[in-house]
Amino acid sequence: MKTALVIGAGPAGLMAAEILADSGFSVTVAEAKKSPARKLLMAGKSGLNITKNETDEQFLATFGDMPDALKSAMTAFGPRQAMAWAQGLNQVVFTGSTGRVFPRSMKASPLLRTWLARMGGKGVTLELGWKWVGCGGPSFQFETSAGAKEVAADVTILACGGASWARLGSDGAWSEWIDAPLAPFKPANMGFVVDWSSHMERHFGSPVKPVGLIVGGKTHRGEIVVSRTGLEGGGIYTVSTALRDGETLTLDLLPDLTGDQIRKRLARPQGKTSMANFYRKVLGLTPVKMALLQEFARPLPTGNAFISVLKALPVPLKGPRPLDEAISTAGGVKFDGMTEDLMLKNRPGVFCAGEMLDWEAPTGGYLITASLATGKLAAEAAVRWAESGSNSAI
């Protein structure tokens, strides 16, 4: 029986492990933490967004330009396959109003329990508390509670995660000893720092919706949240790559109204109503939107200038939140250091998958689906490579 070592028990690693077990390999999964898939479980606390119910063409287009390996992985395993995978783990799934797909339970734990039990029935060994600390010739070295361990296998899948949420296991430490070209880590799908004045404090935690985020000449409709440190939320995450890379942010506080419609509403008699209440009644400006206007446009202009501010309020950002707070990361193992089926050119028989690759996914189910897809691609390639007879223990 051929042997396989998988380092990392997140979605990519577990997908790879099950495929290898189904192909007749004796599989050991080494996970640094005391429990598997911690980041998946954390994501499931707010509702496990498995994928996006889109056509394959729409799904791929969201990633923009991508390496051939990533395109191949997601062509073979896209939204339909991700939904079928979840259903195969006894999860009834549904599509929300934005096209995002969730299990009916909304949690990751039922899915994960079923998945781990299924893999256990196939003979997969899960070693917890095994921290990968380096390579010694053909072996991979681990620190464990029982002391140092060395493992050599016919094939190895590295699925070590990115460099955000270190407490959940994705600390990027593996980048110090992997023999592959790396792109620097950068935060992805993260919030941005804003230096608020004291009057914004009462609005911390308040959602701003609906709102249009104008970045790079394009308007993205979404929801943002005013936090103690700045701005967060799905709307911000959607444009976080462009903002991180230098684009500026302006907000359309009234995306459902044109300038002419706003002008007509402002022409209504104000009477004895206070200005704030007048704006609330005729324009629907919530307290948090009024606070943002006061924060960034005081003293408030009048006439057409006021309409312009409502439709394009400049928001000065002080940069992204720290890398470890990001939902995911960009950067990692460069694709030109791997073959088209994700095998390291400098380490034959060693494959990479998941967020440790140099790619960047938006939120909305794309990250989980692509991680599963790359785990599948790497494992199937590892099986072919091992069966080709071109290796002994790696």
Side-chain angles (χ1 to χ4, degrees):
M1 180 179 288
K2 292 187 181 297
T3 58
L5 171 65
V6 178
I7 303 179
L14 294 177
M15 172 65 84
E18 186 165 30
I19 289 172
L20 288 162
D22 286 340
S23 300
F25 284 69
S26 174
V27 182
T28 297
V29 179
E31 167 57 43
K33 294 298 183 178
K34 296 297 184 180
S35 58
R38 288 193 175 188
K39 195 170 180 181
L40 179 70
L41 289 170
M42 178 62 77
K45 283 191 173 183
S46 58
L48 182 63
N49 185 191
I50 296 168
T51 192
K52 189 76 175 289
N53 195 351
E54 298 176 323
T55 66
D56 291 345
E57 292 75 16
Q58 290 171 323
F59 192 82
L60 291 173
T62 304
F63 289 80
D65 293 334
M66 68 178 75
D68 290 341
L70 193 58
K71 186 174 183 179
S72 295
M74 290 190 293
T75 298
F77 189 95
R80 286 175 291 108
Q81 290 80 8
M83 287 186 274
W85 163 79
Q87 290 164 342
L89 292 169
N90 301 327
Q91 299 302 302
V92 177
V93 301
F94 72 94
T95 301
S97 59
T98 61
R100 299 185 180 198
V101 178
F102 303 88
R104 181 179 292 172
S105 68
M106 295 297 288
K107 298 179 180 179
S109 50
L111 179 150
L112 181 61
R113 281 196 299 269
T114 303
W115 199 9
L116 292 174
R118 190 170 75 182
M119 283 192 283
K122 297 176 180 180
V124 174
T125 299
L126 178 59
E127 298 287 3
L128 300 173
W130 279 37
K131 183 175 178 60
W132 179 33
V133 294
C135 304
S139 300
F140 289 80
Q141 302 169 336
F142 299 90
E143 289 179 354
T144 78
S145 59
K149 301 283 186 181
E150 286 200 13
V151 179
D154 292 303
V155 293
T156 298
I157 308 290
L158 304 179
C160 305
S164 65
W165 295 22
R167 64 188 177 88
L168 302 179
S170 297
D171 58 9
W174 53 266
S175 61
E176 297 180 13
W177 49 77
I178 191 170
D179 187 15
L182 302 176
F185 290 120
K186 296 185 288 186
N189 299 306
M190 64 293 182
F192 283 80
V193 177
V194 178
D195 286 341
W196 300 118
S197 62
S198 59
H199 92 278
M200 288 296 297
E201 186 171 352
R202 60 179 172 166
H203 299 287
F204 293 162
S206 298
V208 184
K209 59 181 182 179
V211 67
L213 295 90
I214 306 167
V215 178
K218 296 181 180 179
T219 300
H220 306 263
R221 190 184 176 98
E223 177 180 327
I224 60 178
V225 176
V226 173
S227 72
R228 182 170 296 278
T229 57
L231 292 176
E232 300 177 6
I236 283 289
Y237 304 151
T238 298
V239 296
S240 61
T241 298
L243 294 176
R244 181 196 65 206
D245 294 342
E247 292 287 356
T248 57
L249 172 66
T250 57
L251 299 179
D252 181 352
L253 296 177
L254 298 172
D256 294 328
L257 298 176
T258 66
D260 284 341
Q261 288 171 326
I262 295 172
R263 187 175 295 106
K264 289 177 181 178
R265 293 190 180 198
L266 290 174
R268 296 174 185 175
Q270 181 178 341
K272 296 182 179 180
T273 306
S274 69
M275 188 62 72
N277 279 334
F278 178 68
Y279 290 153
R280 177 179 58 82
K281 289 180 178 180
V282 303
L283 298 178
L285 285 177
T286 60
V288 68
K289 287 186 177 183
M290 281 299 304
L292 289 171
L293 281 170
Q294 295 288 354
E295 182 76 1
F296 300 124
R298 191 166 47 184
L300 294 182
T302 58
N304 288 336
F306 181 58
I307 296 172
S308 296
V309 167
L310 288 169
K311 297 297 289 182
L313 178 68
V315 179
L317 303 176
K318 300 295 182 180
R321 294 296 299 160
L323 178 64
D324 193 48
E325 296 180 14
I327 293 176
S328 59
T329 51
V333 180
K334 292 185 177 180
F335 283 88
D336 59 13
M338 298 177 287
T339 64
E340 289 190 1
D341 51 15
L342 303 180
M343 185 170 72
L344 291 176
K345 293 178 180 178
N346 293 336
R347 290 294 299 269
V350 178
F351 299 77
C352 295
E355 202 181 331
M356 68 184 297
L357 303 175
D358 180 22
W359 59 286
E360 185 171 355
T363 57
Y366 300 96
L367 181 62
I368 290 178
T369 298
S371 293
L372 292 168
T374 56
K376 178 177 182 291
L377 176 66
E380 290 174 344
V383 171
R384 291 193 300 270
W385 189 84
E387 292 178 345
S388 72
S390 59
N391 72 306
S392 54
I394 301 306

